[in-house]
Amino acid sequence: MWSGTPLFPVSASTMAPRVDALYFFLIGIAGFFSLLIACLIVFYAVKYRRRAPDAIGSRIEGGMVLEITWTVIPLLITMVIFVWGASVFFAMSRPPDDTLNVYVVGKQWMWKFQHLNGQREINELHVPVGRAVKLIMTSEDVIHDVFIPGFRVKADVIPGRYTQLWFEPTKPGRYHLFCAEYCGTRHSGMIGEVVVMEPDEFQVWLSGGRAEGSLASAGAKLSADLACNTCHRPDTESRGPSLDGLFGRTVTLQDGTTAIVDEGYVREAIVNPAARIRAGYQPIMPTYQGVVTEEGLQQLVEYIKSLRAGDARQP
Ligand code: CUA
């Protein structure tokens, strides 16, 4: 209904109608009360105007019913906003289990996208319609921010860690992607496009191009080059935790807390191994900060992920 309005973006994801409904509810509430208050100010200004030069106002006593009414009504309205807003927020921050994952690296001033089969692209992201897509994002330099107005999703992209964003496109087409965090002189030029395609077209696109093998296989090779398996072995001689079947598990740390082995955990374990040491192991692993590039980290994460199903494939 609003797509013809130049100031209102098209609605092209499953999240968009939910965000819009909340947005219009807030606008409606704010508009209604602004108008009500403005009208009451004018009405009472006229009604209680000074009618004679020496008129003196009468004393006003408080009214308990009135006080309770104008406390309870706003409380109910704000609770509706809170519960509704929280439900949209939780839906946005929890990606479904079965997502199509794409790695994103922001740098001054471009977006680099990396599909799991090894296909790469810059400032353009191809995704299929009707499939939940999860972006696993980091930055090589300063803080950037992915904003796709047509999908009503937005998240900061932060150096040194992974942040996530998910969406499910509902309409094929091309959608703007903006950097929404001021990141330097060419921030305004740090833009791109999300190309939403029919699933079969997407498969054709994905298998075309010159992908150099999957991220997981590149990660297996990198892991062999770095000799990760000299310490990370499945046997009892192991000085580091075995990587087999590790991804997705909940592990106990030295301080007794637990952590879920997700993309962010694995990335941190490589660049800052001392941060979260597994219970029963020594903090002897050197950091690979600066040794492994962001692309290399993506490959290692996907390699470790590929060992999930007890697949003891060694590089
Ligand atoms: Cu990147 Cu603004």
Side-chain angles (χ1 to χ4, degrees):
M1 134 177 104
W2 294 86
S3 53
T5 314
L7 289 178
F8 208 81
V10 290
S11 165
S13 79
T14 51
M15 198 55 67
R18 297 188 63 180
V19 173
D20 289 354
L22 180 60
Y23 173 76
F24 286 119
F25 176 75
L26 291 174
I27 292 283
I29 290 283
F32 172 77
F33 281 101
S34 303
L35 203 64
L36 180 70
I37 290 167
C39 290
L40 288 178
I41 288 172
V42 172
F43 174 75
Y44 285 119
V46 172
K47 182 173 178 192
Y48 293 112
R49 70 189 182 277
R50 187 198 270 188
R51 288 161 201 266
D54 56 349
I56 295 173
S58 57
R59 191 181 164 82
I60 297 170
E61 302 296 336
M64 188 53 91
V65 174
L66 198 58
E67 292 286 348
I68 290 176
T69 307
W70 66 37
T71 305
V72 168
I73 290 177
L75 176 72
L76 292 179
I77 292 172
T78 47
M79 288 320 282
V80 167
I81 295 172
F82 168 69
V83 172
W84 190 350
S87 84
V88 175
F89 175 79
F90 287 132
M92 280 179 143
S93 33
R94 287 205 196 124
D97 288 335
D98 179 33
T99 51
L100 180 75
N101 295 353
V102 180
Y103 283 91
V104 181
V105 176
K107 62 176 277 195
Q108 289 168 324
W109 286 276
M110 63 164 84
W111 296 107
K112 297 192 284 189
F113 300 100
Q114 169 83 68
H115 296 264
L116 295 192
N117 77 335
Q119 184 82 274
R120 299 159 178 278
E121 36 185 345
I122 286 178
N123 292 344
E124 211 175 45
L125 170 63
H126 289 75
V127 291
V129 71
R131 177 85 198 270
V133 177
K134 180 167 81 175
L135 306 183
I136 304 164
M137 314 185 293
T138 190
S139 166
E140 277 180 14
D141 38 46
V142 299
I143 300 178
H144 302 279
D145 188 299
V146 163
F147 179 33
I148 309 168
F151 299 165
R152 312 289 190 277
V153 293
K154 180 174 176 295
D156 274 4
V157 176
I158 299 167
R161 65 156 122 151
Y162 285 148
T163 53
Q164 295 187 345
L165 182 72
W166 81 274
F167 53 81
E168 185 179 325
T170 51
K171 277 181 212 157
R174 302 179 79 90
Y175 303 96
H176 288 295
L177 183 153
F178 296 112
C179 178
E181 180 68 45
Y182 183 65
C183 56
T185 48
R186 287 181 48 213
H187 155 72
S188 62
M190 190 167 167
I191 54 178
E193 263 189 332
V194 181
V195 183
V196 178
M197 312 170 88
E198 293 294 346
D200 46 348
E201 286 173 36
F202 175 73
Q203 284 310 326
V204 171
W205 176 86
L206 196 63
S207 50
R210 64 260 169 279
E212 308 122 22
S214 73
L215 281 190
S217 64
K221 187 175 171 304
L222 181 56
S223 166
D225 293 347
L226 296 168
C228 300
N229 63 343
T230 46
C231 292
H232 292 284
R233 299 158 49 163
D235 57 43
T236 49
E237 300 292 290
S238 176
R239 279 177 291 171
S242 165
L243 304 178
D244 292 341
L246 178 63
F247 196 89
R249 269 174 50 198
T250 302
V251 294
T252 307
L253 307 179
Q254 249 176 1
D255 61 3
T257 59
T258 59
I260 295 171
V261 181
D262 58 6
E263 291 90 353
Y265 179 92
V266 175
R267 185 188 182 285
E268 183 189 63
I270 301 167
V271 296
N272 187 10
R276 289 191 280 182
I277 297 287
R278 284 273 295 278
Y281 291 93
Q282 295 301 311
I284 51 171
M285 175 167 160
T287 172
Y288 286 83
Q289 178 97 56
V291 178
V292 182
T293 60
E294 284 301 338
E295 279 79 10
L297 290 169
Q298 296 167 358
Q299 294 164 358
L300 291 174
V301 169
E302 285 304 316
Y303 166 60
I304 290 168
K305 217 187 252 188
S306 73
L307 302 174
R308 176 160 39 179
D311 166 17
R313 166 164 62 100
Q314 287 300 319

